[in-house]
Amino acid sequence: MWLARARSIAGWQVTLGAALFVLGFLIAAQLASEGPRIRITSQERTPLVSTVLDLQKQQDGLKQQVLDLRASIADLDAAGEGGTAVAQQLNDRLEQAQEAAGLVALAGPGLVIRLSDSGVPVPADADERDYLVSGADVRTVVEELWLAGAEAVAVNSERVTVATAIIDIGGSVLVNSAYLAPPYQVSAIGPSDMFDRLTQAVGFVDFIRSRAETYGIGVDYAVLDEVDLPAYAGSVTLRYGFVEASPGPDATPTLGPPLGSQVP
Amino acid sequence: MRRPSSLLAVASVLFLLGFLVVVQLRTQSADQGLAALSVQDLTELVANVTARNNELRDEVGKLEQQRSAIAQAVERGDTSALQIRSDLNRIQGWSGAAAVTGTGVQINIVGSVPGDAIELLLNELRNAGAEGIAIADIRVVAGVVASGPEGEVTVAGRLVASPVVLTAIGQSQTLAGSLTRAGGPIAQLAARYPDVTITVAAVDRITLPATERSLAPVLGHPRL
């Protein structure tokens, strides 16, 4: 009788029941994930966390403004060429310089490496931070990609340029002073043998041994026909330097007084 | 045949399910790192992001002025050649494609350190706002990495022997202060390499050479 009744339950009812069960689980998980954060967040930290999130949101808006203004200026430059050969040549050179500097979003063949925090249980006497992806990890991967022949690199939404610093603050990683949440996706455009060169490099092998094998830092790869890299949306203004009219190296700087030193 | 109301119920629940999965994943990935930071770390983070935002506001201001100047030139029927040339110089100087002169610091490293020690200093200089860096007479641009073990460090394919001289253009006090702060990169290297001496001096005027590398992408193409 029980069996006959079970058979009479429609398939959609089973689906709905299962979905409601998972829904309940997810709501509970969401509430649980909020709970400890509220408990451990002190009165000082709560406004600081929201300040960081607000500032990051503002930064995203400012970066978009920079990109939009650059695009608008490029259109005006093209309109202002005025048909003169000099202006046209200059505009072509400007576009090439912008591409070379990382100010233009690029696509091309390459490689994506995803670095994720360790899933290995942290031993009681260990430092929890060793099991998280650090700025040094991201920097190592970026450097090894350059050495393996990459011609352009980005970390998550941040293009790596001549001015890019990758730093740690606590357990968080900042690239171009933008806070990035893990996992970190390091994308590179480069030659078809870039993956082989990377995985055979001593520095990268050391990194895998010391971080992935020792602490369980996740390192996943994907070789792709087309990798998209964002444009750098930061300042390119020189405040303390200027471009010489006739460039040339000057190996004899005028030294001022020492500002700091380390003597063993 | 299934009733429409039952299909609607299943669809609604599945939609809500998908939404909650996304919310849960986003919540965990975006805020987990911040929630674990100390007040001191969060304060430092706020300072960093604020500094970048201020730079971006300045950049927005300059770009708006530039756009306005070009628009007026176009309206007058002039070419924007002068403006383009100025922009070109600025970008080439910033990227390392052109030589740059200015004030900054010189760092002397006496003794053998590996490439990653030099990279630590370069990263700190960039974070402190260096506008251009050179190692010996090699301009550091995107793609140039100091690598190799102690005594065999190469930069852009060239062996760099002790003493290694780094020069950087930027605000001297800020660059030096960042390098020499307690727990900073020089302090870290002093602990790792006690026989190595690293000194930092202000430089009134120095010229960093243009890079010899081609910076133009060959395999990548502009994304439309």
Side-chain angles (χ1 to χ4, degrees):
Chain A
M1 185 175 167
W2 178 86
L3 201 62
R5 190 175 171 190
R7 277 181 189 147
S8 70
I9 297 172
W12 70 267
Q13 286 175 309
V14 176
T15 309
L16 184 60
L20 283 169
F21 175 77
V22 178
L23 188 64
F25 177 79
L26 273 170
I27 290 170
Q30 181 69 26
L31 290 173
S33 70
E34 290 296 329
R37 195 171 303 137
I38 292 162
R39 280 198 299 275
I40 61 168
T41 301
S42 70
Q43 285 182 329
E44 286 172 300
R45 290 177 63 196
T46 307
L48 279 172
V49 169
S50 65
T51 302
V52 172
L53 293 172
D54 286 349
L55 285 169
Q56 192 58 51
K57 202 173 166 185
Q58 283 175 29
Q59 190 177 103
D60 292 342
L62 287 165
K63 284 192 284 191
Q64 193 54 52
Q65 264 185 281
V66 168
L67 293 176
D68 291 345
L69 280 165
R70 281 190 193 143
S72 167
I73 288 168
D75 290 343
L76 281 171
D77 280 343
E81 282 174 355
T84 68
V86 173
Q88 281 172 12
Q89 281 173 7
L90 276 173
N91 209 23
D92 289 346
R93 284 179 61 196
L94 178 62
E95 283 176 13
Q96 287 164 9
Q98 286 171 330
E99 273 181 38
L103 307 183
V104 175
L106 285 186
L111 181 60
V112 175
I113 299 176
R114 193 179 66 180
L115 302 174
S116 44
D117 293 340
S118 174
V120 173
V122 181
D125 57 343
D127 185 346
E128 198 177 341
R129 289 187 182 178
D130 287 338
Y131 294 77
L132 303 175
V133 178
S134 68
D137 294 330
V138 177
R139 224 163 44 229
T140 299
V141 170
V142 169
E143 287 163 15
E144 291 299 328
L145 280 165
W146 287 132
L147 292 168
E151 64 177 35
V153 179
V155 182
N156 291 15
S157 57
E158 290 296 324
R159 183 75 169 268
V160 178
T161 68
V162 64
T164 297
I166 302 173
I167 61 165
D168 280 304
I169 293 181
S172 64
V173 173
L174 272 75
V175 179
N176 292 331
S177 289
Y179 166 72
L180 302 182
Y184 304 100
Q185 194 160 291
V186 187
S187 310
I189 292 175
S192 55
D193 63 346
M194 185 164 60
F195 178 75
D196 293 338
R197 287 159 73 172
L198 176 76
T199 50
Q200 287 165 18
V202 174
F204 191 73
V205 171
D206 282 350
F207 167 74
I208 294 294
R209 281 195 188 127
S210 63
R211 300 295 289 139
E213 292 175 8
T214 307
Y215 295 104
I217 295 296
V219 184
D220 300 297
Y221 313 87
V223 178
L224 301 169
D225 293 334
E226 186 100 328
V227 175
D228 286 340
L229 303 187
Y232 174 66
S235 170
V236 293
T237 301
L238 298 173
R239 292 178 181 83
Y240 299 91
F242 59 91
V243 176
E244 291 270 34
S246 53
D250 177 0
T252 51
T254 314
L255 288 182
L259 291 169
S261 62
Q262 173 262 315
V263 182
Chain B
M1 190 172 165
R2 287 174 190 167
R3 285 176 297 174
S5 60
S6 62
L7 285 172
L8 195 65
V10 172
S12 306
V13 170
L14 288 174
F15 173 78
L16 195 57
L17 199 62
F19 177 75
L20 274 173
V21 168
V22 172
V23 168
Q24 177 72 10
L25 289 174
R26 284 176 68 95
T27 305
Q28 284 193 345
S29 65
D31 297 0
Q32 215 166 32
L34 290 179
L37 296 185
S38 66
V39 170
Q40 191 185 347
D41 290 339
L42 283 167
T43 308
E44 199 180 337
L45 190 56
V46 166
N48 256 274
V49 181
T50 302
R52 169 83 190 275
N53 288 5
N54 289 339
E55 275 180 21
L56 285 167
R57 281 191 192 93
D58 285 350
E59 188 75 2
V60 166
K62 285 191 175 82
L63 289 170
E64 280 172 344
Q65 282 177 2
Q66 189 181 341
R67 184 177 63 175
S68 170
I70 297 170
Q72 284 171 11
V74 171
E75 269 180 21
R76 285 195 305 267
D78 296 344
T79 66
S80 51
L82 271 178
Q83 186 62 51
I84 298 172
R85 193 185 294 279
S86 158
D87 210 15
L88 178 63
N89 278 346
R90 184 170 63 105
I91 291 169
Q92 286 187 326
W94 179 83
S95 68
V100 173
T101 298
T103 60
V105 292
Q106 176 172 309
I107 302 132
N108 289 335
I109 307 167
V110 181
S112 291
V113 292
D116 71 286
I118 295 174
E119 281 295 328
L120 190 67
L121 296 171
L122 297 180
N123 194 57
E124 191 69 29
L125 285 168
R126 292 182 187 119
N127 191 48
E131 295 175 358
I133 307 172
I135 303 174
D137 58 349
I138 305 162
R139 183 73 174 268
V140 178
V141 294
V144 166
V145 176
S147 64
E150 292 170 39
E152 295 173 36
V153 174
T154 59
V155 178
R158 282 166 58 183
L159 193 67
V160 178
S162 172
V164 178
V165 179
L166 307 185
T167 42
I169 287 177
Q171 216 275 337
S172 310
Q173 298 290 340
T174 306
L175 297 180
S178 188
L179 290 168
T180 57
R181 70 192 151 85
I186 290 183
Q188 289 172 38
L189 294 177
R192 270 169 67 189
Y193 308 101
D195 295 333
V196 173
T197 304
I198 303 175
T199 55
V200 184
V203 176
D204 293 335
R205 182 186 169 92
I206 188 169
T207 297
L208 307 182
T211 184
E212 293 170 4
R213 290 164 67 97
S214 167
L215 300 176
V218 176
L219 299 160
H221 54 85
R223 203 180 67 203
L224 299 174

